[in-house]
Amino acid sequence: MAKAKVFVAREIPREVEEFLAEHCDCTVWRGEEKLTYDTILDKVQDVEGLLMGLIRVDENFLNHAPKLKVISNFTVGYNNFDIEAMKRRGVIGTNTAGALDDTVADLIFGLIIGAARRIVELDKYVKAGRWEKGQDEIFFGKDVSGSSLGIIGMGRIGYEVAKRARLGFNMEVYYHNRNRRLELEESLGVVYKDMDELLKTSDFVVVMTPLNESTYHLIGEREFSLMKEDSIFINASRGKVVDQEALIKALENRKIQAAGLDVYEREPIPKDSPLLKLDNVITLPHIGAATQRTRDRMFMVAAKNLVQALKGEVPDNLVPEFR
Ligand code: GLV
């Protein structure tokens, strides 16, 4: 039987390409420029499978790909999928859940500690030659150990953050989630709170929900106004879960103390964004899963999902909406 045609929208590790080639008739995009919605459309006409990042998939996209059966994202997020349009066309979607949990949770802790102890701000201070006196209370930060941490969205990454917080930093951990996680309450001692209560009582707030219609701008002016004035806000999920203008105002007016961000409403963040002028924000370029080992693993997981789907099996990481 002829192998199914697949298109891979960027270069991938050699082992992953070899694995795909065993099972599929695979074309890998090796062009200099990164493919976008507009530039990928003429490359998908005759493919049954697609391996790609967060390129938007809508009705029009699907009309350009009449043979398509599966889209395998090499990301954990799948907010690029128009789920209803895909369902209508019988196209399924997969992600890389599980392949990056530790790596993202590590970064979130980097942001927590970095923002609490003002590591980036004070590094700049020293490098600018401004350190003239020894120890000074102007360098004081906020304790992480023993503080309280509120996690909004207790999925796999949220769990890894909670584990680090409980076991490594002796923090009180509160969480808010669509479903209560009684097993985690028992095993880790995390405490369920409704959203407002969590915001009012947490020293650190980490938002970790996926982006969808119900989480768009989940955190806005009202939510920031409920948070403690010395609280620290962390977002490494998706920028659009937060009303960024409201966040900027909260930071400028010291409604909250600081933020650690890996994601933004627009990425790359516009160079004139007021966020870039604030000392009390750490701004990272969406590097949550960006380590070599994890990236390689994500590509392999994505390739396996694609092959499973094309063989007619249920892929390991079929996204929940298609189950
Ligand atoms: C990164 O943001 C991902 O969704 O994997």
Side-chain angles (χ1 to χ4, degrees):
M1 217 170 81
K3 290 177 176 171
K5 271 192 193 303
V6 309
F7 183 72
V8 179
R10 50 159 290 161
E11 291 203 57
I12 50 178
R14 193 156 47 87
E15 311 81 82
V16 181
E17 201 171 325
E18 283 167 4
F19 168 78
L20 277 177
E22 275 172 37
H23 300 274
C24 321
D25 172 3
C26 171
T27 305
V28 177
W29 174 249
R30 298 184 202 280
E32 284 279 294
E33 82 277 21
K34 201 171 164 210
L35 288 178
T36 61
Y37 181 87
D38 292 320
T39 53
I40 200 173
L41 292 182
D42 65 354
K43 304 190 169 41
V44 296
Q45 291 111 346
D46 59 350
V47 303
E48 290 179 54
L50 250 179
L51 194 148
M52 64 179 203
L54 291 165
I55 296 173
R56 177 162 50 94
V57 176
D58 57 12
E59 197 84 50
N60 176 52
F61 184 108
L62 295 167
N63 288 340
H64 281 78
K67 299 188 180 158
L68 197 58
K69 295 185 175 142
V70 51
I71 302 173
S72 172
N73 268 8
F74 56 74
T75 57
V76 67
Y78 53 90
N79 49 292
N80 54 320
F81 292 165
D82 178 336
I83 303 274
E84 292 314 314
M86 287 169 69
K87 280 187 176 165
R88 278 196 297 278
R89 268 286 317 281
V91 175
I92 58 169
T94 62
N95 70 353
T96 60
L100 68 176
D101 306 345
D102 279 322
T103 304
V104 179
D106 289 352
L107 185 81
I108 289 173
F109 253 89
L111 287 170
I112 290 174
I113 298 172
R117 301 299 300 273
R118 303 164 56 200
I119 288 176
V120 176
E121 177 195 343
L122 295 177
D123 170 75
K124 284 190 197 146
Y125 183 92
V126 173
K127 287 184 180 150
R130 295 172 59 200
W131 187 26
E132 280 160 2
K133 276 200 280 163
Q135 297 287 319
D136 196 318
E137 59 192 54
I138 62 163
F139 302 145
F140 282 5
K142 181 181 170 77
D143 273 316
V144 174
S145 289
S147 294
S148 58
L149 171 68
I151 301 176
I152 300 169
M154 189 59 113
R156 308 174 70 123
I157 299 172
Y159 165 68
E160 288 300 333
V161 173
K163 208 165 78 184
R164 284 159 177 71
R166 292 291 294 145
L167 306 179
F169 293 86
N170 194 27
M171 299 176 92
E172 284 285 320
V173 175
Y174 313 134
Y175 77 101
H176 183 75
N177 198 45
R178 260 176 322 178
N179 312 309
R180 266 185 83 163
R181 306 281 312 265
L182 294 175
E183 75 290 3
L184 300 186
E185 293 180 24
E186 190 146 316
S187 61
L188 269 185
V190 297
V191 176
Y192 178 84
K193 292 203 175 194
D194 70 32
M195 183 87 151
D196 286 3
E197 209 38 46
L198 179 147
L199 293 168
K200 283 182 200 158
T201 52
S202 300
D203 297 316
F204 296 84
V205 173
V206 173
V207 58
M208 217 44 249
T209 55
L211 173 66
N212 54 42
E213 274 170 18
S214 65
T215 60
Y216 177 78
H217 281 194
L218 181 71
I219 310 293
E221 192 179 341
R222 193 186 85 85
E223 288 68 30
F224 288 119
S225 73
L226 293 175
M227 287 170 60
K228 296 185 182 187
E229 278 193 0
D230 65 347
S231 63
I232 292 181
F233 177 74
I234 308 290
N235 187 7
S237 61
R238 284 290 179 267
K240 289 186 173 136
V241 170
V242 177
D243 176 346
Q244 195 165 294
E245 263 184 45
L247 170 63
I248 292 168
K249 280 207 192 104
L251 287 162
E252 283 174 346
N253 304 331
R254 299 275 165 172
K255 286 259 174 235
I256 62 172
Q257 183 175 309
L261 305 175
D262 191 36
V263 291
Y264 311 89
E265 289 217 42
R266 257 180 69 200
E267 294 178 9
I269 187 169
K271 292 190 175 57
D272 60 354
S273 168
L275 270 180
L276 304 183
K277 300 207 166 58
L278 295 171
D279 277 340
N280 53 343
V281 193
I282 298 177
T283 47
L284 296 181
H286 201 146
I287 56 164
T291 66
Q292 192 66 56
R293 191 169 62 184
T294 293
R295 269 296 155 78
D296 289 353
R297 185 165 50 225
M298 289 165 80
F299 285 124
M300 190 51 105
V301 166
K304 287 191 173 148
N305 285 322
L306 189 69
V307 168
Q308 286 171 325
L310 291 171
K311 282 189 185 158
E313 295 167 13
V314 178
D316 291 338
N317 300 97
L318 184 62
V319 306
E321 286 82 349
F322 294 102
R323 285 184 201 150

